[in-house]
Amino acid sequence: MKAYERLIKARAAQGVAAKLTAHHLQPDLSAAARRGQKRDLLNAQLRQTQDLRLNGTPVTVIGIEKGVDTKDKVVRNFGSANPEGYRKALRLMKQAEKFHRPVVCLVDTSGAYCGIGAEERGQGSAIAMNLMEMMNLRTPVISILIGEGGSGGALALAVADEVWMLENAVYSVISPEGAASIIWKDASRVEAAAEALRMTAEDLLCMEIIERIFNEPDAECERGFEEVYLAIKSALTDTFNKNINKPIRELLDARYEKYRKIGRIN
């Protein structure tokens, strides 16, 4: 499948974050957890699903939800988070750090919201703060690209010990439409831009930007994706079991080196 076809498929993906958390991570029903479940209607695109358990281990899960139907997508701002959303995500990550809970970020966004209000309220600063704080977060972090991973809006939740992708997900510094308009001044060259960006999971694994790919079923059916969810659950369990008792300095040094080596030419 060509890069642009992957992008179209990724944009059409619906509800992966909700289904994964709903069926494979059990809610923590303690009183403290219930008090923490506050819904921010201004940032409904950032799905706060904290205080969950992965095979009995408490984890913090933060996911971006684009929505399913038109009404839902409008409520969730089509998955484009405002600066308050990124600050909320960072607050949850710092809370997880305090209690040494592993963090899982489920990313599906075309990019951070670029409206005038978002810029006035510090969109760039909020993203930069997440990048800095996640690099030094003293607890294990895994980020999973489950659909579209666009620009700094995706990266603000993807500074992690390991970054994984679904087979048909994409991850890029800019959308192909934007790249075609900037480089060639011709938005019709979007397919060529998508190939040049090397945004597919296979390309990114080859460049060592991500660590793992999860194969997706050929047919878009719930039963087929059940196997994907189980594979992700198993991989999360194994990785967190490996990293949770790792010395903090060793964990942070490995995370730092992961990003320092990106783009390095031998």
Side-chain angles (χ1 to χ4, degrees):
M1 189 182 296
K2 292 183 178 181
Y4 190 63
E5 292 173 346
R6 292 278 179 91
L7 176 63
I8 297 302
K9 191 176 182 68
R11 287 174 176 172
Q14 297 179 346
V16 176
K19 292 170 185 173
L20 175 62
T21 55
H23 299 297
H24 295 280
L25 294 168
Q26 291 74 46
D28 184 339
L29 299 178
S30 64
R34 289 197 299 273
R35 285 196 297 270
Q37 298 296 323
K38 297 178 181 178
R39 180 169 179 80
D40 185 346
L41 294 177
L42 295 177
N43 294 286
Q45 65 280 356
L46 259 157
R47 182 182 180 86
Q48 175 182 336
T49 320
Q50 64 165 333
D51 299 307
L52 299 177
R53 290 183 179 271
L54 176 67
N55 290 332
T57 301
V59 296
T60 291
V61 180
I62 302 166
I64 298 179
E65 191 73 84
K66 282 185 174 180
V68 178
D69 54 29
T70 301
K71 182 179 179 180
D72 195 24
K73 288 179 180 179
V74 170
V75 169
R76 298 187 183 281
N77 205 29
F78 294 84
S80 294
N82 282 289
E84 295 84 0
Y86 290 112
R87 294 182 183 118
K88 178 172 70 172
L90 181 58
R91 174 176 60 81
L92 291 171
M93 286 187 272
K94 297 299 285 186
Q95 181 190 74
E97 177 185 56
K98 178 179 179 180
F99 296 102
H100 202 49
R101 286 198 305 260
V103 175
V104 181
C105 293
L106 304 175
V107 182
D108 183 15
T109 179
S110 59
Y113 186 56
C114 55
I116 294 175
E119 298 295 344
E120 289 176 342
R121 298 193 304 277
Q123 184 71 286
S125 174
I127 291 173
M129 185 62 70
N130 275 31
L131 301 183
M132 181 179 71
E133 292 290 347
M134 289 185 76
M135 184 60 74
N136 294 292
L137 202 67
R138 299 168 68 86
T139 195
V141 186
I142 298 292
S143 291
I144 309 175
L145 279 295
I146 58 175
E148 188 177 5
S151 194
L155 190 60
L157 293 178
V159 178
D161 305 309
E162 293 188 19
V163 178
W164 303 342
M165 290 179 70
L166 297 188
E167 180 184 11
N168 293 313
V170 294
Y171 190 24
S172 175
V173 67
I174 190 173
S175 70
E177 293 87 352
S181 297
I182 292 170
I183 297 172
W184 295 298
K185 311 299 182 186
D186 183 0
S188 68
R189 299 188 64 178
V190 62
E191 293 190 23
E195 294 293 338
L197 285 169
R198 300 189 68 185
M199 62 198 307
T200 67
E202 289 85 353
D203 284 335
L204 294 166
L205 183 65
C206 181
M207 293 187 288
E208 298 184 352
I209 293 175
I210 67 168
E211 282 71 37
R212 192 189 296 250
I213 299 173
F214 293 93
N215 293 329
E216 297 183 50
D218 293 332
E220 296 182 2
C221 63
E222 190 63 32
R223 178 171 294 182
F225 260 97
E226 189 69 19
E227 296 181 3
V228 181
Y229 299 147
L230 290 172
I232 292 174
K233 181 180 180 180
S234 176
L236 286 172
T237 301
D238 292 343
T239 304
F240 284 148
N241 286 343
K242 178 183 69 175
N243 289 342
I244 195 68
N245 295 317
K246 186 178 289 188
I248 296 298
R249 188 70 265 161
E250 183 180 338
L251 184 74
L252 296 181
D253 286 347
R255 190 183 302 161
Y256 176 79
E257 180 58 26
K258 165 182 165 58
Y259 288 92
R260 285 293 296 174
K261 72 181 182 182
I262 292 176
R264 185 178 293 168
I265 299 175
N266 294 325

